[in-house]
Amino acid sequence: MTPKRISQLVSAPDIFTERTHMRAHRLEDFEAMLAMWQDDAVVRHITGRPSTSNETWSRLLRYIGHWHALGFGYWVIEDRETGLYLGEAGFADFHRDMDPPLGSAPEAGWAIVSASQGRGLATEVMRAAHEWIDAHNPHGHTACILDPAHHASVRVAAKCGYRLAYETSFQGGATAVMKRPSKLSS
C-alpha cells in the first residue's frame, strides 16, 4: 500500500510551545542526536541498546526525508530560551515488520534527552504535534507503539488521547499498540 501524502511540505514547520521550539532537523543536529541515542536511559525502552553513529546518521536523514516524501515527520525539540537540543518528536511511517501491520497512518514517537526527562516536555510537545497533525491528517487516526513497561511514555500517550488497541510482539519484545482518532474524524 502506498502511503498517503499529507501535503506538499518539504520541511517541518516551526512550532512554538511554552518552553520549546520545534523545528526541522538539520545536519548540524547529528552530534546532539548521537549523544541522545547512545544514552542508555533514553534507549532502554525504545531500541534496548545504544545506536551506532551509522544508525543515528540514517535516522537523521530519514527524519528529513519524511517531510519531503510524506508531508509529515519528526521535529527537533529545542529549549525556547537557550536553543539547547532537548530531543525529537513527531510522526513517521517506518513500515515496521509487525503482525498485524500498523498501515500507513502516522506513527507518533518521542525521545527526550535524559537530563530533561520527567518535566512534562514530552506531553507538551506531543500535544502541539497532535494539534498540527489533526489539521493535516487524511488517515483518520494516528498510532504509537510502546514498551508496556515504559510507564512514563504510556502516560504521555494517554494524555494525548491514545488508547490501547492491542498488544503484540515487535523485535522480540512485548509491544503495546495504541491508537488515537484524528480530530478531523471525530
Side-chain angles (χ1 to χ4, degrees), residues 43-75:
V43 301
R44 178 180 320 123
H45 294 289
I46 301 173
T47 61
R49 62 170 182 76
S51 293
T52 66
S53 177
N54 177 59
E55 290 167 331
T56 302
W57 181 251
S58 293
R59 178 180 279 119
L60 172 61
L61 296 178
R62 185 171 59 230
Y63 288 163
I64 292 168
H66 259 84
W67 288 99
H68 181 75
L70 299 174
F72 63 89
Y74 270 65
W75 288 268

PDB file of all heavy atoms in Angstrom, residues 43-75:
ATOM      1  N   VAL A  43      17.416   5.000  25.447  1.00  0.00           N
ATOM      2  CA  VAL A  43      17.130   3.875  24.549  1.00  0.00           C
ATOM      3  C   VAL A  43      16.579   2.631  25.239  1.00  0.00           C
ATOM      4  O   VAL A  43      16.103   1.721  24.564  1.00  0.00           O
ATOM      5  CB  VAL A  43      18.382   3.497  23.717  1.00  0.00           C
ATOM      6  CG1 VAL A  43      18.835   4.693  22.891  1.00  0.00           C
ATOM      7  CG2 VAL A  43      19.498   2.961  24.584  1.00  0.00           C
ATOM      8  N   ARG A  44      16.633   2.594  26.561  1.00  0.00           N
ATOM      9  CA  ARG A  44      16.235   1.392  27.311  1.00  0.00           C
ATOM     10  C   ARG A  44      14.911   0.810  26.839  1.00  0.00           C
ATOM     11  O   ARG A  44      14.779  -0.383  26.612  1.00  0.00           O
ATOM     12  CB  ARG A  44      16.158   1.707  28.807  1.00  0.00           C
ATOM     13  CG  ARG A  44      15.707   0.540  29.661  1.00  0.00           C
ATOM     14  CD  ARG A  44      15.636   0.882  31.152  1.00  0.00           C
ATOM     15  NE  ARG A  44      16.750   1.706  31.562  1.00  0.00           N
ATOM     16  CZ  ARG A  44      16.606   2.917  32.144  1.00  0.00           C
ATOM     17  NH1 ARG A  44      15.412   3.398  32.368  1.00  0.00           N
ATOM     18  NH2 ARG A  44      17.654   3.609  32.496  1.00  0.00           N
ATOM     19  N   HIS A  45      13.891   1.645  26.666  1.00  0.00           N
ATOM     20  CA  HIS A  45      12.556   1.167  26.284  1.00  0.00           C
ATOM     21  C   HIS A  45      12.240   1.385  24.802  1.00  0.00           C
ATOM     22  O   HIS A  45      11.118   1.127  24.369  1.00  0.00           O
ATOM     23  CB  HIS A  45      11.487   1.856  27.121  1.00  0.00           C
ATOM     24  CG  HIS A  45      11.542   1.498  28.573  1.00  0.00           C
ATOM     25  ND1 HIS A  45      11.183   0.259  29.045  1.00  0.00           N
ATOM     26  CD2 HIS A  45      11.934   2.217  29.655  1.00  0.00           C
ATOM     27  CE1 HIS A  45      11.334   0.228  30.357  1.00  0.00           C
ATOM     28  NE2 HIS A  45      11.800   1.397  30.741  1.00  0.00           N
ATOM     29  N   ILE A  46      13.216   1.872  24.037  1.00  0.00           N
ATOM     30  CA  ILE A  46      12.959   2.137  22.615  1.00  0.00           C
ATOM     31  C   ILE A  46      13.637   1.065  21.765  1.00  0.00           C
ATOM     32  O   ILE A  46      12.966   0.238  21.162  1.00  0.00           O
ATOM     33  CB  ILE A  46      13.413   3.559  22.212  1.00  0.00           C
ATOM     34  CG1 ILE A  46      12.667   4.606  23.060  1.00  0.00           C
ATOM     35  CG2 ILE A  46      13.159   3.801  20.723  1.00  0.00           C
ATOM     36  CD1 ILE A  46      13.155   6.031  22.875  1.00  0.00           C
ATOM     37  N   THR A  47      14.951   1.101  21.708  1.00  0.00           N
ATOM     38  CA  THR A  47      15.683   0.097  20.929  1.00  0.00           C
ATOM     39  C   THR A  47      16.331  -0.952  21.815  1.00  0.00           C
ATOM     40  O   THR A  47      16.722  -2.010  21.329  1.00  0.00           O
ATOM     41  CB  THR A  47      16.789   0.756  20.086  1.00  0.00           C
ATOM     42  OG1 THR A  47      17.720   1.400  20.963  1.00  0.00           O
ATOM     43  CG2 THR A  47      16.209   1.766  19.101  1.00  0.00           C
ATOM     44  N   GLY A  48      16.488  -0.640  23.094  1.00  0.00           N
ATOM     45  CA  GLY A  48      17.111  -1.567  24.028  1.00  0.00           C
ATOM     46  C   GLY A  48      18.626  -1.537  24.008  1.00  0.00           C
ATOM     47  O   GLY A  48      19.279  -2.214  24.799  1.00  0.00           O
ATOM     48  N   ARG A  49      19.190  -0.746  23.110  1.00  0.00           N
ATOM     49  CA  ARG A  49      20.645  -0.641  23.027  1.00  0.00           C
ATOM     50  C   ARG A  49      21.006   0.704  22.404  1.00  0.00           C
ATOM     51  O   ARG A  49      20.233   1.266  21.625  1.00  0.00           O
ATOM     52  CB  ARG A  49      21.231  -1.767  22.192  1.00  0.00           C
ATOM     53  CG  ARG A  49      20.765  -1.757  20.765  1.00  0.00           C
ATOM     54  CD  ARG A  49      21.515  -2.734  19.863  1.00  0.00           C
ATOM     55  NE  ARG A  49      21.051  -2.641  18.505  1.00  0.00           N
ATOM     56  CZ  ARG A  49      21.346  -1.683  17.639  1.00  0.00           C
ATOM     57  NH1 ARG A  49      22.128  -0.688  17.996  1.00  0.00           N
ATOM     58  NH2 ARG A  49      20.885  -1.699  16.412  1.00  0.00           N
ATOM     59  N   PRO A  50      22.202   1.213  22.718  1.00  0.00           N
ATOM     60  CA  PRO A  50      22.630   2.480  22.107  1.00  0.00           C
ATOM     61  C   PRO A  50      22.745   2.351  20.590  1.00  0.00           C
ATOM     62  O   PRO A  50      23.093   1.291  20.064  1.00  0.00           O
ATOM     63  CB  PRO A  50      24.005   2.728  22.732  1.00  0.00           C
ATOM     64  CG  PRO A  50      24.002   1.932  23.997  1.00  0.00           C
ATOM     65  CD  PRO A  50      23.150   0.726  23.719  1.00  0.00           C
ATOM     66  N   SER A  51      22.432   3.416  19.896  1.00  0.00           N
ATOM     67  CA  SER A  51      22.545   3.443  18.442  1.00  0.00           C
ATOM     68  C   SER A  51      23.984   3.725  18.035  1.00  0.00           C
ATOM     69  O   SER A  51      24.694   4.469  18.712  1.00  0.00           O
ATOM     70  CB  SER A  51      21.646   4.530  17.845  1.00  0.00           C
ATOM     71  OG  SER A  51      20.295   4.221  18.027  1.00  0.00           O
ATOM     72  N   THR A  52      24.382   3.159  16.928  1.00  0.00           N
ATOM     73  CA  THR A  52      25.702   3.454  16.372  1.00  0.00           C
ATOM     74  C   THR A  52      25.653   4.800  15.665  1.00  0.00           C
ATOM     75  O   THR A  52      24.576   5.350  15.380  1.00  0.00           O
ATOM     76  CB  THR A  52      26.116   2.373  15.359  1.00  0.00           C
ATOM     77  OG1 THR A  52      25.224   2.439  14.238  1.00  0.00           O
ATOM     78  CG2 THR A  52      26.100   0.979  15.986  1.00  0.00           C
ATOM     79  N   SER A  53      26.810   5.298  15.317  1.00  0.00           N
ATOM     80  CA  SER A  53      26.911   6.525  14.541  1.00  0.00           C
ATOM     81  C   SER A  53      26.174   6.364  13.209  1.00  0.00           C
ATOM     82  O   SER A  53      25.423   7.250  12.788  1.00  0.00           O
ATOM     83  CB  SER A  53      28.386   6.856  14.311  1.00  0.00           C
ATOM     84  OG  SER A  53      28.523   7.993  13.515  1.00  0.00           O
ATOM     85  N   ASN A  54      26.368   5.240  12.551  1.00  0.00           N
ATOM     86  CA  ASN A  54      25.707   4.957  11.280  1.00  0.00           C
ATOM     87  C   ASN A  54      24.183   4.946  11.429  1.00  0.00           C
ATOM     88  O   ASN A  54      23.463   5.513  10.597  1.00  0.00           O
ATOM     89  CB  ASN A  54      26.204   3.611  10.728  1.00  0.00           C
ATOM     90  CG  ASN A  54      25.524   3.222   9.450  1.00  0.00           C
ATOM     91  OD1 ASN A  54      25.583   3.940   8.466  1.00  0.00           O
ATOM     92  ND2 ASN A  54      24.836   2.087   9.473  1.00  0.00           N
ATOM     93  N   GLU A  55      23.678   4.299  12.471  1.00  0.00           N
ATOM     94  CA  GLU A  55      22.228   4.238  12.688  1.00  0.00           C
ATOM     95  C   GLU A  55      21.657   5.627  12.959  1.00  0.00           C
ATOM     96  O   GLU A  55      20.567   5.977  12.470  1.00  0.00           O
ATOM     97  CB  GLU A  55      21.902   3.299  13.846  1.00  0.00           C
ATOM     98  CG  GLU A  55      22.158   1.847  13.530  1.00  0.00           C
ATOM     99  CD  GLU A  55      22.149   0.952  14.755  1.00  0.00           C
ATOM    100  OE1 GLU A  55      22.495   1.413  15.876  1.00  0.00           O
ATOM    101  OE2 GLU A  55      21.816  -0.234  14.584  1.00  0.00           O
ATOM    102  N   THR A  56      22.377   6.432  13.732  1.00  0.00           N
ATOM    103  CA  THR A  56      21.897   7.776  14.039  1.00  0.00           C
ATOM    104  C   THR A  56      21.924   8.654  12.797  1.00  0.00           C
ATOM    105  O   THR A  56      20.998   9.439  12.558  1.00  0.00           O
ATOM    106  CB  THR A  56      22.722   8.390  15.180  1.00  0.00           C
ATOM    107  OG1 THR A  56      22.618   7.541  16.328  1.00  0.00           O
ATOM    108  CG2 THR A  56      22.222   9.783  15.545  1.00  0.00           C
ATOM    109  N   TRP A  57      22.960   8.530  11.979  1.00  0.00           N
ATOM    110  CA  TRP A  57      23.024   9.289  10.730  1.00  0.00           C
ATOM    111  C   TRP A  57      21.847   8.906   9.834  1.00  0.00           C
ATOM    112  O   TRP A  57      21.174   9.778   9.267  1.00  0.00           O
ATOM    113  CB  TRP A  57      24.352   9.036  10.027  1.00  0.00           C
ATOM    114  CG  TRP A  57      24.506   9.804   8.751  1.00  0.00           C
ATOM    115  CD1 TRP A  57      24.487   9.295   7.489  1.00  0.00           C
ATOM    116  CD2 TRP A  57      24.692  11.218   8.606  1.00  0.00           C
ATOM    117  NE1 TRP A  57      24.653  10.307   6.563  1.00  0.00           N
ATOM    118  CE2 TRP A  57      24.778  11.494   7.220  1.00  0.00           C
ATOM    119  CE3 TRP A  57      24.779  12.270   9.516  1.00  0.00           C
ATOM    120  CZ2 TRP A  57      24.956  12.785   6.731  1.00  0.00           C
ATOM    121  CZ3 TRP A  57      24.966  13.554   9.021  1.00  0.00           C
ATOM    122  CH2 TRP A  57      25.050  13.802   7.648  1.00  0.00           C
ATOM    123  N   SER A  58      21.554   7.625   9.727  1.00  0.00           N
ATOM    124  CA  SER A  58      20.411   7.170   8.921  1.00  0.00           C
ATOM    125  C   SER A  58      19.105   7.697   9.495  1.00  0.00           C
ATOM    126  O   SER A  58      18.204   8.095   8.735  1.00  0.00           O
ATOM    127  CB  SER A  58      20.369   5.639   8.859  1.00  0.00           C
ATOM    128  OG  SER A  58      21.468   5.152   8.140  1.00  0.00           O
ATOM    129  N   ARG A  59      18.983   7.725  10.809  1.00  0.00           N
ATOM    130  CA  ARG A  59      17.778   8.262  11.456  1.00  0.00           C
ATOM    131  C   ARG A  59      17.615   9.737  11.095  1.00  0.00           C
ATOM    132  O   ARG A  59      16.515  10.186  10.746  1.00  0.00           O
ATOM    133  CB  ARG A  59      17.886   8.082  12.978  1.00  0.00           C
ATOM    134  CG  ARG A  59      16.717   8.636  13.739  1.00  0.00           C
ATOM    135  CD  ARG A  59      16.882   8.430  15.240  1.00  0.00           C
ATOM    136  NE  ARG A  59      16.484   7.074  15.577  1.00  0.00           N
ATOM    137  CZ  ARG A  59      17.281   6.156  16.131  1.00  0.00           C
ATOM    138  NH1 ARG A  59      18.538   6.445  16.423  1.00  0.00           N
ATOM    139  NH2 ARG A  59      16.831   4.962  16.406  1.00  0.00           N
ATOM    140  N   LEU A  60      18.683  10.508  11.169  1.00  0.00           N
ATOM    141  CA  LEU A  60      18.631  11.929  10.833  1.00  0.00           C
ATOM    142  C   LEU A  60      18.157  12.131   9.395  1.00  0.00           C
ATOM    143  O   LEU A  60      17.251  12.930   9.133  1.00  0.00           O
ATOM    144  CB  LEU A  60      20.015  12.567  11.044  1.00  0.00           C
ATOM    145  CG  LEU A  60      20.193  14.011  10.567  1.00  0.00           C
ATOM    146  CD1 LEU A  60      19.252  14.958  11.291  1.00  0.00           C
ATOM    147  CD2 LEU A  60      21.644  14.443  10.756  1.00  0.00           C
ATOM    148  N   LEU A  61      18.741  11.396   8.465  1.00  0.00           N
ATOM    149  CA  LEU A  61      18.338  11.532   7.066  1.00  0.00           C
ATOM    150  C   LEU A  61      16.903  11.066   6.843  1.00  0.00           C
ATOM    151  O   LEU A  61      16.159  11.660   6.045  1.00  0.00           O
ATOM    152  CB  LEU A  61      19.304  10.764   6.168  1.00  0.00           C
ATOM    153  CG  LEU A  61      20.745  11.279   6.178  1.00  0.00           C
ATOM    154  CD1 LEU A  61      21.614  10.415   5.289  1.00  0.00           C
ATOM    155  CD2 LEU A  61      20.828  12.744   5.791  1.00  0.00           C
ATOM    156  N   ARG A  62      16.492  10.024   7.547  1.00  0.00           N
ATOM    157  CA  ARG A  62      15.113   9.530   7.443  1.00  0.00           C
ATOM    158  C   ARG A  62      14.140  10.599   7.946  1.00  0.00           C
ATOM    159  O   ARG A  62      13.078  10.814   7.346  1.00  0.00           O
ATOM    160  CB  ARG A  62      14.984   8.232   8.246  1.00  0.00           C
ATOM    161  CG  ARG A  62      13.651   7.560   8.121  1.00  0.00           C
ATOM    162  CD  ARG A  62      13.654   6.172   8.747  1.00  0.00           C
ATOM    163  NE  ARG A  62      14.003   6.204  10.151  1.00  0.00           N
ATOM    164  CZ  ARG A  62      14.922   5.436  10.730  1.00  0.00           C
ATOM    165  NH1 ARG A  62      15.609   4.561  10.034  1.00  0.00           N
ATOM    166  NH2 ARG A  62      15.165   5.522  12.016  1.00  0.00           N
ATOM    167  N   TYR A  63      14.478  11.258   9.040  1.00  0.00           N
ATOM    168  CA  TYR A  63      13.600  12.314   9.566  1.00  0.00           C
ATOM    169  C   TYR A  63      13.452  13.454   8.557  1.00  0.00           C
ATOM    170  O   TYR A  63      12.351  13.961   8.338  1.00  0.00           O
ATOM    171  CB  TYR A  63      14.144  12.872  10.873  1.00  0.00           C
ATOM    172  CG  TYR A  63      14.036  11.958  12.067  1.00  0.00           C
ATOM    173  CD1 TYR A  63      14.796  12.216  13.196  1.00  0.00           C
ATOM    174  CD2 TYR A  63      13.197  10.851  12.097  1.00  0.00           C
ATOM    175  CE1 TYR A  63      14.717  11.406  14.312  1.00  0.00           C
ATOM    176  CE2 TYR A  63      13.115  10.041  13.207  1.00  0.00           C
ATOM    177  CZ  TYR A  63      13.883  10.329  14.324  1.00  0.00           C
ATOM    178  OH  TYR A  63      13.795   9.536  15.425  1.00  0.00           O
ATOM    179  N   ILE A  64      14.556  13.866   7.960  1.00  0.00           N
ATOM    180  CA  ILE A  64      14.493  14.939   6.966  1.00  0.00           C
ATOM    181  C   ILE A  64      13.655  14.486   5.768  1.00  0.00           C
ATOM    182  O   ILE A  64      12.807  15.225   5.267  1.00  0.00           O
ATOM    183  CB  ILE A  64      15.918  15.349   6.531  1.00  0.00           C
ATOM    184  CG1 ILE A  64      16.660  16.027   7.704  1.00  0.00           C
ATOM    185  CG2 ILE A  64      15.874  16.278   5.319  1.00  0.00           C
ATOM    186  CD1 ILE A  64      18.154  16.206   7.483  1.00  0.00           C
ATOM    187  N   GLY A  65      13.851  13.256   5.326  1.00  0.00           N
ATOM    188  CA  GLY A  65      13.151  12.739   4.156  1.00  0.00           C
ATOM    189  C   GLY A  65      11.667  12.528   4.346  1.00  0.00           C
ATOM    190  O   GLY A  65      10.899  12.636   3.380  1.00  0.00           O
ATOM    191  N   HIS A  66      11.236  12.242   5.561  1.00  0.00           N
ATOM    192  CA  HIS A  66       9.802  12.038   5.801  1.00  0.00           C
ATOM    193  C   HIS A  66       8.987  13.250   5.351  1.00  0.00           C
ATOM    194  O   HIS A  66       7.928  13.103   4.742  1.00  0.00           O
ATOM    195  CB  HIS A  66       9.542  11.761   7.291  1.00  0.00           C
ATOM    196  CG  HIS A  66       9.332  10.326   7.589  1.00  0.00           C
ATOM    197  ND1 HIS A  66      10.349   9.449   7.794  1.00  0.00           N
ATOM    198  CD2 HIS A  66       8.187   9.613   7.722  1.00  0.00           C
ATOM    199  CE1 HIS A  66       9.867   8.247   8.046  1.00  0.00           C
ATOM    200  NE2 HIS A  66       8.550   8.325   7.998  1.00  0.00           N
ATOM    201  N   TRP A  67       9.462  14.432   5.705  1.00  0.00           N
ATOM    202  CA  TRP A  67       8.710  15.639   5.355  1.00  0.00           C
ATOM    203  C   TRP A  67       8.578  15.772   3.847  1.00  0.00           C
ATOM    204  O   TRP A  67       7.500  16.084   3.338  1.00  0.00           O
ATOM    205  CB  TRP A  67       9.370  16.876   5.969  1.00  0.00           C
ATOM    206  CG  TRP A  67       9.164  16.916   7.431  1.00  0.00           C
ATOM    207  CD1 TRP A  67      10.038  16.527   8.402  1.00  0.00           C
ATOM    208  CD2 TRP A  67       7.973  17.321   8.107  1.00  0.00           C
ATOM    209  NE1 TRP A  67       9.462  16.668   9.641  1.00  0.00           N
ATOM    210  CE2 TRP A  67       8.202  17.164   9.490  1.00  0.00           C
ATOM    211  CE3 TRP A  67       6.734  17.814   7.692  1.00  0.00           C
ATOM    212  CZ2 TRP A  67       7.237  17.471  10.439  1.00  0.00           C
ATOM    213  CZ3 TRP A  67       5.779  18.130   8.645  1.00  0.00           C
ATOM    214  CH2 TRP A  67       6.033  17.952  10.000  1.00  0.00           C
ATOM    215  N   HIS A  68       9.647  15.544   3.135  1.00  0.00           N
ATOM    216  CA  HIS A  68       9.617  15.679   1.681  1.00  0.00           C
ATOM    217  C   HIS A  68       8.734  14.608   1.038  1.00  0.00           C
ATOM    218  O   HIS A  68       7.933  14.901   0.143  1.00  0.00           O
ATOM    219  CB  HIS A  68      11.034  15.607   1.114  1.00  0.00           C
ATOM    220  CG  HIS A  68      11.078  15.750  -0.368  1.00  0.00           C
ATOM    221  ND1 HIS A  68      10.900  16.962  -1.000  1.00  0.00           N
ATOM    222  CD2 HIS A  68      11.246  14.835  -1.340  1.00  0.00           C
ATOM    223  CE1 HIS A  68      10.956  16.778  -2.301  1.00  0.00           C
ATOM    224  NE2 HIS A  68      11.167  15.496  -2.538  1.00  0.00           N
ATOM    225  N   ALA A  69       8.864  13.366   1.487  1.00  0.00           N
ATOM    226  CA  ALA A  69       8.139  12.258   0.851  1.00  0.00           C
ATOM    227  C   ALA A  69       6.681  12.162   1.282  1.00  0.00           C
ATOM    228  O   ALA A  69       5.820  11.825   0.467  1.00  0.00           O
ATOM    229  CB  ALA A  69       8.856  10.937   1.149  1.00  0.00           C
ATOM    230  N   LEU A  70       6.404  12.433   2.567  1.00  0.00           N
ATOM    231  CA  LEU A  70       5.057  12.174   3.092  1.00  0.00           C
ATOM    232  C   LEU A  70       4.327  13.405   3.618  1.00  0.00           C
ATOM    233  O   LEU A  70       3.137  13.331   3.921  1.00  0.00           O
ATOM    234  CB  LEU A  70       5.137  11.121   4.212  1.00  0.00           C
ATOM    235  CG  LEU A  70       5.697   9.769   3.784  1.00  0.00           C
ATOM    236  CD1 LEU A  70       5.856   8.862   4.998  1.00  0.00           C
ATOM    237  CD2 LEU A  70       4.817   9.126   2.730  1.00  0.00           C
ATOM    238  N   GLY A  71       5.040  14.507   3.800  1.00  0.00           N
ATOM    239  CA  GLY A  71       4.392  15.718   4.306  1.00  0.00           C
ATOM    240  C   GLY A  71       4.209  15.727   5.809  1.00  0.00           C
ATOM    241  O   GLY A  71       3.518  16.582   6.352  1.00  0.00           O
ATOM    242  N   PHE A  72       4.827  14.789   6.505  1.00  0.00           N
ATOM    243  CA  PHE A  72       4.863  14.780   7.965  1.00  0.00           C
ATOM    244  C   PHE A  72       6.168  14.147   8.388  1.00  0.00           C
ATOM    245  O   PHE A  72       6.869  13.542   7.584  1.00  0.00           O
ATOM    246  CB  PHE A  72       3.654  14.059   8.577  1.00  0.00           C
ATOM    247  CG  PHE A  72       3.547  12.586   8.240  1.00  0.00           C
ATOM    248  CD1 PHE A  72       4.152  11.628   9.036  1.00  0.00           C
ATOM    249  CD2 PHE A  72       2.813  12.154   7.143  1.00  0.00           C
ATOM    250  CE1 PHE A  72       4.036  10.267   8.745  1.00  0.00           C
ATOM    251  CE2 PHE A  72       2.674  10.800   6.836  1.00  0.00           C
ATOM    252  CZ  PHE A  72       3.299   9.857   7.644  1.00  0.00           C
ATOM    253  N   GLY A  73       6.505  14.305   9.655  1.00  0.00           N
ATOM    254  CA  GLY A  73       7.764  13.754  10.143  1.00  0.00           C
ATOM    255  C   GLY A  73       8.045  14.153  11.581  1.00  0.00           C
ATOM    256  O   GLY A  73       7.126  14.470  12.336  1.00  0.00           O
ATOM    257  N   TYR A  74       9.313  14.160  11.909  1.00  0.00           N
ATOM    258  CA  TYR A  74       9.767  14.493  13.260  1.00  0.00           C
ATOM    259  C   TYR A  74      10.316  15.910  13.303  1.00  0.00           C
ATOM    260  O   TYR A  74      10.821  16.424  12.302  1.00  0.00           O
ATOM    261  CB  TYR A  74      10.880  13.528  13.686  1.00  0.00           C
ATOM    262  CG  TYR A  74      10.383  12.288  14.383  1.00  0.00           C
ATOM    263  CD1 TYR A  74       9.601  11.356  13.715  1.00  0.00           C
ATOM    264  CD2 TYR A  74      10.701  12.049  15.718  1.00  0.00           C
ATOM    265  CE1 TYR A  74       9.152  10.219  14.347  1.00  0.00           C
ATOM    266  CE2 TYR A  74      10.254  10.907  16.361  1.00  0.00           C
ATOM    267  CZ  TYR A  74       9.483  10.001  15.667  1.00  0.00           C
ATOM    268  OH  TYR A  74       9.037   8.871  16.300  1.00  0.00           O
ATOM    269  N   TRP A  75      10.215  16.498  14.485  1.00  0.00           N
ATOM    270  CA  TRP A  75      10.805  17.793  14.780  1.00  0.00           C
ATOM    271  C   TRP A  75      11.956  17.611  15.763  1.00  0.00           C
ATOM    272  O   TRP A  75      11.916  16.716  16.617  1.00  0.00           O
ATOM    273  CB  TRP A  75       9.787  18.704  15.470  1.00  0.00           C
ATOM    274  CG  TRP A  75       8.684  19.250  14.644  1.00  0.00           C
ATOM    275  CD1 TRP A  75       8.668  20.447  13.979  1.00  0.00           C
ATOM    276  CD2 TRP A  75       7.384  18.680  14.430  1.00  0.00           C
ATOM    277  NE1 TRP A  75       7.459  20.641  13.356  1.00  0.00           N
ATOM    278  CE2 TRP A  75       6.648  19.560  13.622  1.00  0.00           C
ATOM    279  CE3 TRP A  75       6.781  17.489  14.835  1.00  0.00           C
ATOM    280  CZ2 TRP A  75       5.347  19.317  13.220  1.00  0.00           C
ATOM    281  CZ3 TRP A  75       5.486  17.231  14.434  1.00  0.00           C
ATOM    282  CH2 TRP A  75       4.761  18.138  13.637  1.00  0.00           C
TER     283      TRP A  75
END
